[in-house]
Amino acid sequence: MYKKKIAILSILLGFYGASTTSLVASTNVTTGQTDNTSAKKTPKPWKLGLGSTFESNLEETSSTDYSLTNTSYGSLKLTLDNGVSVSTSIAIDKDLQNDRETTLRDSALSFSKSLHKFNEQLSLAGNLSFAIPLSESSQNITNLYTSIRVRPSLSYDASKSMIDGLSFTYLPSLRTYFHQYETKSTGGSNTRYALSNRLVVSYSLTDSLGISFDNTYLRTWTYQGQSKDIYSLDQSIGYSINDNLAATIGHAIGGSVLAVNGQEQNIDLFNSQTSTIYFDLSLSY
Protein backbone atom coordinates (compact mmCIF):
# COMPACT_ATOMS: atom_id res chain seq x y z
CA MET A 1 0.00 0.00 0.00
CA TYR A 2 2.70 2.49 0.96
CA LYS A 3 4.86 1.82 -2.11
CA LYS A 4 1.79 2.23 -4.31
CA LYS A 5 1.08 5.58 -2.67
CA ILE A 6 4.68 6.69 -3.13
CA ALA A 7 4.46 5.82 -6.82
CA ILE A 8 1.31 7.95 -7.18
CA LEU A 9 2.79 10.88 -5.29
CA SER A 10 5.95 10.61 -7.41
CA ILE A 11 3.77 11.38 -10.43
CA LEU A 12 2.63 14.55 -8.69
CA LEU A 13 6.15 15.52 -7.68
CA GLY A 14 7.42 14.87 -11.16
CA PHE A 15 4.54 16.91 -12.57
CA TYR A 16 5.68 19.94 -10.63
CA GLY A 17 9.08 19.70 -12.30
CA ALA A 18 12.12 20.09 -10.10
CA SER A 19 10.35 18.86 -7.02
CA THR A 20 13.15 19.70 -4.67
CA THR A 21 12.97 23.32 -5.70
CA SER A 22 9.32 23.22 -4.68
CA LEU A 23 10.34 21.95 -1.26
CA VAL A 24 12.68 24.87 -0.66
CA ALA A 25 10.24 27.39 -2.08
CA SER A 26 7.29 26.09 -0.09
CA THR A 27 9.16 26.60 3.16
CA ASN A 28 9.83 30.24 2.30
CA VAL A 29 6.23 30.85 1.21
CA THR A 30 4.84 29.14 4.29
CA THR A 31 6.76 31.17 6.81
CA GLY A 32 6.22 34.45 5.04
CA GLN A 33 9.56 35.72 6.21
CA THR A 34 10.61 39.08 4.85
CA ASP A 35 14.12 40.18 4.05
CA ASN A 36 14.67 43.48 5.83
CA THR A 37 18.08 43.92 4.22
CA SER A 38 16.85 43.70 0.61
CA ALA A 39 16.67 47.49 0.31
CA LYS A 40 20.26 47.87 1.48
CA LYS A 41 21.97 45.06 -0.38
CA THR A 42 22.02 44.26 -4.06
CA PRO A 43 20.32 40.88 -4.54
CA LYS A 44 22.60 38.06 -5.65
CA PRO A 45 21.92 36.83 -9.19
CA TRP A 46 22.06 33.24 -7.95
CA LYS A 47 20.60 31.21 -5.11
CA LEU A 48 21.71 27.83 -3.80
CA GLY A 49 19.42 25.56 -1.81
CA LEU A 50 20.19 22.40 0.16
CA GLY A 51 17.83 20.32 2.24
CA SER A 52 16.77 17.03 3.71
CA THR A 53 13.31 15.57 4.28
CA PHE A 54 12.33 12.62 6.47
CA GLU A 55 8.96 11.04 5.72
CA SER A 56 7.14 8.12 7.32
CA ASN A 57 3.74 6.49 7.28
CA LEU A 58 1.63 6.02 10.38
CA GLU A 59 2.12 2.29 10.88
CA GLU A 60 3.65 0.98 14.09
CA THR A 61 7.45 1.03 13.90
CA SER A 62 7.45 -2.70 14.61
CA SER A 63 5.11 -3.42 11.69
CA THR A 64 6.41 -4.84 8.40
CA ASP A 65 4.38 -2.11 6.65
CA TYR A 66 6.21 0.70 8.45
CA SER A 67 8.23 2.88 6.09
CA LEU A 68 10.73 5.66 6.66
CA THR A 69 12.49 7.49 3.84
CA ASN A 70 14.94 10.36 3.55
CA THR A 71 15.19 12.71 0.59
CA SER A 72 18.34 14.81 0.21
CA TYR A 73 18.15 17.57 -2.35
CA GLY A 74 19.96 20.54 -3.79
CA SER A 75 18.84 23.32 -6.12
CA LEU A 76 20.44 26.15 -8.05
CA LYS A 77 18.65 29.25 -9.31
CA LEU A 78 20.15 31.93 -11.53
CA THR A 79 18.37 35.22 -12.27
CA LEU A 80 19.33 36.82 -15.58
CA ASP A 81 19.40 40.54 -16.36
CA ASN A 82 16.11 40.30 -18.28
CA GLY A 83 14.30 39.00 -15.20
CA VAL A 84 14.16 35.38 -16.30
CA SER A 85 15.13 32.86 -13.61
CA VAL A 86 16.77 29.59 -14.62
CA SER A 87 16.74 26.77 -12.08
CA THR A 88 17.52 23.10 -11.72
CA SER A 89 17.80 20.58 -8.90
CA ILE A 90 18.79 17.08 -7.92
CA ALA A 91 17.21 14.77 -5.33
CA ILE A 92 18.11 11.36 -3.91
CA ASP A 93 15.71 9.12 -1.96
CA LYS A 94 17.00 6.67 0.64
CA ASP A 95 14.83 3.92 2.13
CA LEU A 96 15.73 3.76 5.83
CA GLN A 97 13.50 0.88 6.86
CA ASN A 98 13.04 -1.91 4.32
CA ASP A 99 15.45 -2.73 1.49
CA ARG A 100 17.60 0.38 2.15
CA GLU A 101 17.50 1.18 -1.55
CA THR A 102 18.89 4.50 -2.82
CA THR A 103 17.19 6.04 -5.85
CA LEU A 104 17.79 9.15 -7.92
CA ARG A 105 14.82 11.29 -8.91
CA ASP A 106 14.25 12.97 -12.24
CA SER A 107 15.39 16.56 -12.50
CA ALA A 108 14.23 19.49 -14.62
CA LEU A 109 15.50 22.67 -16.22
CA SER A 110 13.03 25.46 -15.48
CA PHE A 111 12.59 29.00 -16.73
CA SER A 112 10.35 31.42 -14.85
CA LYS A 113 9.49 35.10 -15.10
CA SER A 114 7.12 37.61 -13.54
CA LEU A 115 4.70 38.51 -16.34
CA HIS A 116 2.33 41.14 -15.01
CA LYS A 117 1.35 42.90 -11.81
CA PHE A 118 -2.30 43.88 -11.97
CA ASN A 119 -2.22 45.79 -8.68
CA GLU A 120 -0.60 45.60 -5.25
CA GLN A 121 -2.46 42.37 -4.49
CA LEU A 122 -2.69 40.40 -7.74
CA SER A 123 0.23 39.27 -9.93
CA LEU A 124 0.90 36.78 -12.72
CA ALA A 125 4.04 34.76 -13.41
CA GLY A 126 4.96 32.01 -15.86
CA ASN A 127 7.10 28.89 -15.78
CA LEU A 128 8.39 26.60 -18.52
CA SER A 129 10.26 23.43 -17.60
CA PHE A 130 11.91 20.50 -19.36
CA ALA A 131 12.32 17.18 -17.58
CA ILE A 132 15.76 15.56 -17.29
CA PRO A 133 15.20 11.78 -16.97
CA LEU A 134 17.76 10.69 -14.38
CA SER A 135 15.76 8.08 -12.47
CA GLU A 136 16.02 4.38 -13.15
CA SER A 137 12.27 4.29 -13.77
CA SER A 138 12.43 6.94 -16.50
CA GLN A 139 15.45 5.38 -18.15
CA ASN A 140 14.59 1.68 -17.97
CA ILE A 141 10.82 1.37 -17.42
CA THR A 142 9.01 4.31 -19.05
CA ASN A 143 11.89 5.13 -21.46
CA LEU A 144 11.26 8.86 -21.11
CA TYR A 145 13.09 11.27 -23.41
CA THR A 146 11.78 14.40 -21.73
CA SER A 147 8.57 16.26 -20.89
CA ILE A 148 7.57 19.89 -21.32
CA ARG A 149 5.45 21.67 -18.75
CA VAL A 150 3.80 25.08 -19.06
CA ARG A 151 2.64 26.54 -15.74
CA PRO A 152 1.29 30.05 -15.12
CA SER A 153 0.82 31.14 -11.52
CA LEU A 154 -1.66 33.68 -10.23
CA SER A 155 -0.86 35.07 -6.77
CA TYR A 156 -3.22 37.08 -4.59
CA ASP A 157 -2.18 38.81 -1.37
CA ALA A 158 -5.31 39.03 0.77
CA SER A 159 -3.68 40.97 3.60
CA LYS A 160 -5.56 44.17 2.86
CA SER A 161 -8.89 42.83 1.62
CA MET A 162 -9.37 39.86 3.97
CA ILE A 163 -6.90 38.80 6.68
CA ASP A 164 -3.42 40.13 7.33
CA GLY A 165 -0.85 37.52 6.30
CA LEU A 166 -3.22 35.49 4.10
CA SER A 167 -2.31 34.70 0.48
CA PHE A 168 -3.52 32.45 -2.34
CA THR A 169 -1.56 31.04 -5.26
CA TYR A 170 -3.26 29.20 -8.14
CA LEU A 171 -1.01 27.14 -10.41
CA PRO A 172 -2.66 25.38 -13.35
CA SER A 173 -0.26 23.44 -15.56
CA LEU A 174 -0.11 21.28 -18.66
CA ARG A 175 2.60 18.72 -19.31
CA THR A 176 3.37 16.75 -22.47
CA TYR A 177 5.55 13.64 -22.23
CA PHE A 178 7.86 12.24 -24.90
CA HIS A 179 8.69 8.54 -24.62
CA GLN A 180 10.56 6.11 -26.80
CA TYR A 181 7.60 3.74 -26.62
CA GLU A 182 3.90 4.16 -25.83
CA THR A 183 4.06 1.37 -23.26
CA LYS A 184 6.36 0.70 -20.32
CA SER A 185 8.83 -2.16 -20.30
CA THR A 186 6.61 -3.71 -17.60
CA GLY A 187 3.61 -3.68 -19.93
CA GLY A 188 1.62 -0.69 -18.61
CA SER A 189 0.76 2.39 -20.66
CA ASN A 190 2.91 5.50 -20.52
CA THR A 191 1.39 8.90 -19.76
CA ARG A 192 1.06 11.22 -22.78
CA TYR A 193 -0.54 14.32 -21.23
CA ALA A 194 -1.15 15.60 -17.71
CA LEU A 195 -3.29 18.52 -16.60
CA SER A 196 -3.06 19.85 -13.06
CA ASN A 197 -4.88 22.38 -10.91
CA ARG A 198 -3.02 23.39 -7.77
CA LEU A 199 -4.09 25.83 -5.07
CA VAL A 200 -1.79 26.91 -2.24
CA VAL A 201 -3.25 28.80 0.70
CA SER A 202 -0.67 30.34 3.04
CA TYR A 203 -1.08 32.25 6.26
CA SER A 204 1.79 34.03 8.03
CA LEU A 205 1.30 33.99 11.78
CA THR A 206 4.50 36.02 12.31
CA ASP A 207 7.45 37.06 10.16
CA SER A 208 9.04 33.67 10.80
CA LEU A 209 6.11 31.29 11.39
CA GLY A 210 3.37 30.27 8.99
CA ILE A 211 1.03 27.54 7.84
CA SER A 212 0.28 26.29 4.36
CA PHE A 213 -2.40 24.17 2.65
CA ASP A 214 -1.24 22.77 -0.69
CA ASN A 215 -3.95 21.04 -2.75
CA THR A 216 -3.58 19.43 -6.18
CA TYR A 217 -5.97 17.71 -8.59
CA LEU A 218 -4.25 15.97 -11.49
CA ARG A 219 -5.66 14.20 -14.56
CA THR A 220 -3.43 12.11 -16.81
CA TRP A 221 -4.01 10.56 -20.23
CA THR A 222 -2.15 7.64 -21.78
CA TYR A 223 -1.23 7.35 -25.44
CA GLN A 224 -4.30 5.13 -25.81
CA GLY A 225 -6.57 7.84 -24.39
CA GLN A 226 -7.21 6.31 -20.98
CA SER A 227 -7.50 8.88 -18.19
CA LYS A 228 -6.84 8.77 -14.46
CA ASP A 229 -7.53 11.32 -11.73
CA ILE A 230 -5.11 11.80 -8.82
CA TYR A 231 -5.30 14.11 -5.82
CA SER A 232 -2.82 15.35 -3.25
CA LEU A 233 -3.44 17.28 0.00
CA ASP A 234 -0.63 18.71 2.09
CA GLN A 235 -0.79 20.72 5.32
CA SER A 236 2.38 22.13 6.85
CA ILE A 237 3.80 24.48 9.46
CA GLY A 238 7.00 26.30 8.56
CA TYR A 239 9.45 28.20 10.72
CA SER A 240 12.32 30.36 9.48
CA ILE A 241 15.14 29.95 11.99
CA ASN A 242 17.09 32.74 10.31
CA ASP A 243 17.45 34.29 6.85
CA ASN A 244 19.01 31.09 5.48
CA LEU A 245 17.66 28.18 7.53
CA ALA A 246 14.05 26.96 7.69
CA ALA A 247 12.22 23.95 9.11
CA THR A 248 8.87 22.48 8.10
CA ILE A 249 6.66 19.74 9.54
CA GLY A 250 3.61 18.47 7.72
CA HIS A 251 1.04 15.86 6.82
CA ALA A 252 0.36 14.62 3.30
CA ILE A 253 -2.15 12.30 1.71
CA GLY A 254 -2.97 11.48 -1.88
CA GLY A 255 -3.84 8.82 -4.41
CA SER A 256 -6.43 7.87 -6.96
CA VAL A 257 -9.64 9.90 -6.84
CA LEU A 258 -11.72 6.78 -7.53
CA ALA A 259 -11.80 3.55 -5.55
CA VAL A 260 -10.75 0.22 -7.03
CA ASN A 261 -14.25 -0.37 -8.41
CA GLY A 262 -13.90 2.80 -10.51
CA GLN A 263 -17.16 4.29 -9.24
CA GLU A 264 -16.90 5.32 -5.59
CA GLN A 265 -14.98 8.44 -4.60
CA ASN A 266 -11.73 7.84 -2.72
CA ILE A 267 -10.67 11.28 -1.45
CA ASP A 268 -9.61 11.33 2.21
CA LEU A 269 -8.43 14.23 4.34
CA PHE A 270 -6.75 11.73 6.64
CA ASN A 271 -6.25 7.98 6.56
CA SER A 272 -4.16 6.00 9.00
CA GLN A 273 -3.09 3.65 6.19
CA THR A 274 -2.21 6.16 3.48
CA SER A 275 -1.32 9.40 5.31
CA THR A 276 2.32 10.34 5.79
CA ILE A 277 4.05 12.83 8.04
CA TYR A 278 7.31 14.60 7.25
CA PHE A 279 9.99 16.91 8.59
CA ASP A 280 12.06 19.09 6.27
CA LEU A 281 15.15 21.18 7.02
CA SER A 282 16.34 23.50 4.25
CA LEU A 283 19.27 25.85 3.84
CA SER A 284 19.38 28.61 1.25
CA TYR A 285 22.22 30.88 0.33
Side-chain angles (χ1 to χ4, degrees):
M1 175 67 74
Y2 182 73
K3 288 189 175 181
K4 181 179 179 182
K5 176 178 178 293
I6 288 296
I8 294 174
L9 292 181
S10 295
I11 297 175
L12 290 167
L13 290 172
F15 188 81
Y16 297 152
S19 59
T20 54
T21 303
S22 300
L23 284 172
V24 176
S26 65
T27 302
N28 294 335
V29 171
T30 301
T31 59
Q33 184 179 16
T34 57
D35 185 359
N36 296 325
T37 62
S38 59
K40 301 178 182 179
K41 297 182 180 179
T42 302
K44 299 189 301 288
W46 56 271
K47 185 176 183 180
L48 176 66
L50 297 172
S52 183
T53 305
F54 290 88
E55 182 178 21
S56 75
N57 60 8
L58 301 180
E59 298 287 347
E60 295 289 340
T61 55
S62 58
S63 171
T64 56
D65 293 327
Y66 176 70
S67 182
L68 175 65
T69 59
N70 170 249
T71 301
S72 300
Y73 58 89
S75 64
L76 178 63
K77 179 180 179 181
L78 177 66
T79 302
L80 307 179
D81 292 338
N82 58 5
V84 174
S85 295
V86 183
S87 61
T88 189
S89 65
I90 189 169
I92 299 174
D93 294 324
K94 175 68 175 179
D95 187 348
L96 302 178
Q97 183 64 25
N98 298 310
D99 52 14
R100 307 279 177 169
E101 183 181 7
T102 300
T103 56
L104 180 65
R105 288 191 189 182
D106 288 339
S107 183
L109 182 64
S110 300
F111 302 86
S112 58
K113 181 178 174 61
S114 176
L115 299 177
H116 185 71
K117 188 171 183 178
F118 300 94
N119 50 49
E120 293 184 356
Q121 296 174 299
L122 188 64
S123 61
L124 176 68
N127 178 277
L128 177 67
S129 68
F130 302 86
I132 304 174
L134 300 179
S135 69
E136 181 180 358
S137 174
S138 293
Q139 294 183 6
N140 299 327
I141 297 179
T142 63
N143 295 289
L144 178 69
Y145 287 133
T146 189
S147 66
I148 301 175
R149 184 199 65 189
V150 178
R151 188 191 68 188
S153 61
L154 190 65
S155 300
Y156 179 72
D157 184 355
S159 295
K160 294 184 178 180
S161 60
M162 299 175 66
I163 302 174
D164 186 31
L166 181 65
S167 65
F168 301 87
T169 305
Y170 173 57
L171 305 99
S173 56
L174 175 65
R175 183 185 289 272
T176 303
Y177 293 84
F178 300 91
H179 297 92
Q180 184 178 4
Y181 308 107
E182 293 185 0
T183 57
K184 304 174 184 178
S185 60
T186 54
S189 299
N190 277 322
T191 299
R192 183 64 172 120
Y193 302 106
L195 178 66
S196 171
N197 285 284
R198 182 183 178 194
L199 177 65
V200 181
V201 182
S202 301
Y203 178 60
S204 299
L205 301 170
T206 67
D207 287 344
S208 57
L209 181 66
I211 57 176
S212 177
F213 302 90
D214 193 338
N215 315 286
T216 300
Y217 192 100
L218 171 68
R219 172 167 290 183
T220 64
W221 291 268
T222 65
Y223 286 87
Q224 291 74 33
Q226 298 173 327
S227 64
K228 183 175 183 178
D229 291 353
I230 301 170
Y231 80 98
S232 174
L233 304 176
D234 184 293
Q235 310 88 39
S236 63
I237 300 174
Y239 177 71
S240 289
I241 301 170
N242 54 43
D243 290 342
N244 304 107
L245 188 62
T248 304
I249 57 172
H251 161 265
I253 187 172
S256 176
V257 171
L258 296 179
V260 179
N261 59 21
Q263 298 179 344
E264 297 178 359
Q265 202 171 68
N266 191 41
I267 298 178
D268 293 322
L269 298 179
F270 175 84
N271 188 301
S272 60
Q273 294 183 328
T274 56
S275 287
T276 62
I277 55 175
Y278 63 87
F279 170 76
D280 175 76
L281 188 64
S282 61
L283 175 67
S284 61
Y285 179 78

